[in-house]
Amino acid sequence: MPRTRPRTCPQVCPARALAPSPSTRPSPSTRPSPSTARPRTGRGPSGGALPRAAGRNPTKLAVSSLADSAATNRTDASPDAAPFFSTPARMADGAVPPPHPAAMSDSERYLFDLNGFLVVRGVLSPDEVAACNAAITAHADEAVARSDPALRNAAGGSSMYGDGPPRLDLGGILEWDAGESRVFKSVLAHPRLRPLFAGILGRGYRLDHIPFVLMNNRGGEGFALHGGTVDCVTGEYSPDLAYSCRAGQVRTSLLGCNVILSGEHGPDNGGFCVVPGSHKSNFAMPPGMVDGNEHGEYIVNPVAGPGDVVLFSEGTVHGARAWRSDVQRRTALYRFAPATCAYGRSYFGGDGDGERGTTTAWPARFYEGLSEAEAAVLEPPYANRLDRPNIVEDGTVELTTRSERKRRHDREVFRTKYF
């Protein structure tokens, strides 16, 4: 049984409170609870069978040297990107990796506060990257092209737009069969990422958006610069994305997590780009900069390859340059938030029609095969002190709660378990 921790204070977040939404998802009686139906499995972050080989749904688009790219295990990296790394370059094949740190390091905290993003090397092994790519290829015909002009993300003729096909978006990665989804699910509470999620978002961090894979072929469109604690276009404060640092703690209302699965991202090939330090900017960008047409020297493409993860505050202005490699770009994008913050609303369930629902559930298949720690990340937004399952440093889960007397008082006053 989870251990009861002393009373903790709820985390304050400026994000808007969300009203209950209609639900067609499983009711609380049918979906697993963090402490019973989803017990700790004891499985490592890569546990479970590998995805079935590609072939059921052959990819529609030509991909050059994808297998070579997925298996690449670089032993060095561009010195231009060194200031942004949280770890040294990847180790050589066969080397024994050091144990994962239990907490965010002072260096990682400094670099994230300085730049607004962090590159974490070698989070996924070559085998895990290959497993992800096999699953993506098997589902490639389910990808949706952003070909409608209303879906394009960059201005025509800009360095972000490109001269090739539109971006492809592939959902469902947490709902695929157990073998296909296992590595994608491991990201929720990966032992290398857990201390960084907790260090940036606090205890009780949670998944905020449904993750998906984005793909680009050569010349594929990127994304105009967007985001910012102060919106880079309007100049207005954005509490839903905001970054702050108080009392030695860094916090962001929304954290992006780019898991690189193929293609070498960087100045030569394009892909994800960011304006370092823009999470602390107080003004809108000058004309032409959001499209990459002006002041391009301040827009950086962090060097990252298969298995690397780029964490970035959504309060940091970011986007993507057009893809210039013959290897298809494949990136799994997750977004996480503090315990009491919410931007997305998929955790409510339902499509927004009918009566307001009372359940809070992600799609049912999200919960299949999760460890207790991974399941804790799927909790809806509420304060830690209200019986929230928290992942502790050793990867186990325990509840933070109030005294039994206070809980009984709430039931007497409000006639519900929680106020």
Side-chain angles (χ1 to χ4, degrees), residues 214-246:
L214 56 88
M215 299 181 283
N216 281 112
N217 288 296
R218 186 176 183 86
E221 180 187 30
F223 206 126
L225 295 177
H226 56 284
T229 298
V230 169
D231 188 272
C232 65
V233 176
T234 67
E236 297 177 357
Y237 176 65
S238 300
D240 299 333
L241 311 179
Y243 171 86
S244 65
C245 182
R246 299 287 185 274

Side-chain angles (χ1 to χ4, degrees), residues 249-267:
Q249 293 183 329
V250 296
R251 290 291 184 266
T252 185
S253 297
L254 193 62
L255 179 73
C257 174
N258 273 332
V259 181
I260 310 300
L261 298 174
S262 74
E264 296 291 334
H265 292 56

Side-chain angles (χ1 to χ4, degrees), residues 353-408:
D353 298 324
E355 297 181 0
R356 298 204 316 187
T358 58
T359 63
T360 54
W362 295 92
R365 296 199 67 180
F366 277 32
Y367 297 95
E368 294 178 0
L370 296 185
S371 69
E372 192 176 11
E374 291 163 355
V377 182
L378 298 188
E379 285 293 296
Y382 58 93
N384 280 315
R385 64 194 291 260
L386 300 178
D387 301 335
R388 188 178 194 93
N390 281 182
I391 308 172
V392 295
E393 288 184 353
D394 65 0
T396 60
V397 173
E398 57 189 24
L399 296 182
T400 51
T401 189
R402 298 166 300 146
S403 71
E404 188 279 332
R405 183 64 187 88
K406 288 186 176 181
R407 286 180 284 153
R408 180 155 50 89

Side-chain angles (χ1 to χ4, degrees), residues 3-245:
R3 301 187 299 277
T4 301
R5 290 184 61 84
R7 179 179 182 271
T8 58
C9 296
Q11 184 168 356
V12 177
C13 176
R16 296 187 300 272
L18 296 179
S21 172
S23 175
T24 59
R25 301 299 184 194
S27 66
S29 62
T30 59
R31 76 183 171 95
S33 67
S35 59
T36 57
R38 303 197 298 271
R40 194 177 308 126
T41 64
R43 183 172 52 225
S46 311
L50 295 181
R52 63 181 178 271
R56 184 192 68 178
N57 296 315
T59 182
K60 296 178 179 179
L61 300 167
V63 181
S64 300
S65 304
L66 177 58
D68 291 341
S69 174
T72 296
N73 193 19
R74 298 190 313 275
T75 57
D76 56 14
S78 167
D80 295 337
F84 309 123
F85 291 160
S86 71
T87 61
R90 292 198 203 108
M91 297 170 30
D93 289 338
V96 177
H100 294 298
M104 189 178 194
S105 70
D106 290 342
S107 296
E108 291 166 338
R109 185 178 298 106
Y110 172 81
L111 292 172
F112 190 83
D113 179 62
L114 176 69
N115 296 302
F117 72 98
L118 199 64
V119 179
V120 190
R121 288 233 174 259
V123 174
L124 298 184
S125 70
D127 285 345
E128 289 172 318
V129 171
C132 289
N133 277 305
I136 292 169
T137 299
H139 291 270
D141 62 352
E142 301 167 18
V144 179
R146 304 182 68 96
S147 53
D148 190 307
L151 296 176
R152 302 307 289 263
N153 292 317
S158 70
S159 64
M160 310 292 192
Y161 191 79
D163 56 5
R167 195 180 87 186
L168 298 168
D169 293 346
L170 177 62
I173 62 176
L174 299 189
E175 300 177 80
W176 293 341
D177 293 343
E180 293 179 318
S181 64
R182 174 84 301 263
V183 179
F184 292 107
K185 287 178 175 177
S186 77
V187 173
L188 299 174
H190 194 285
R192 180 63 187 95
L193 299 177
R194 274 198 318 260
L196 299 175
F197 291 153
I200 296 169
L201 300 169
R203 288 172 59 87
Y205 74 87
R206 52 176 294 274
L207 183 70
D208 188 83
H209 289 43
I210 293 179
F212 71 104
V213 170
L214 56 88
M215 299 181 283
N216 281 112
N217 288 296
R218 186 176 183 86
E221 180 187 30
F223 206 126
L225 295 177
H226 56 284
T229 298
V230 169
D231 188 272
C232 65
V233 176
T234 67
E236 297 177 357
Y237 176 65
S238 300
D240 299 333
L241 311 179
Y243 171 86
S244 65
C245 182

Side-chain angles (χ1 to χ4, degrees), residues 279-292:
H279 56 313
K280 301 178 183 179
S281 175
N282 292 296
F283 303 98
M285 284 188 162
M289 188 171 181
V290 295
D291 296 318

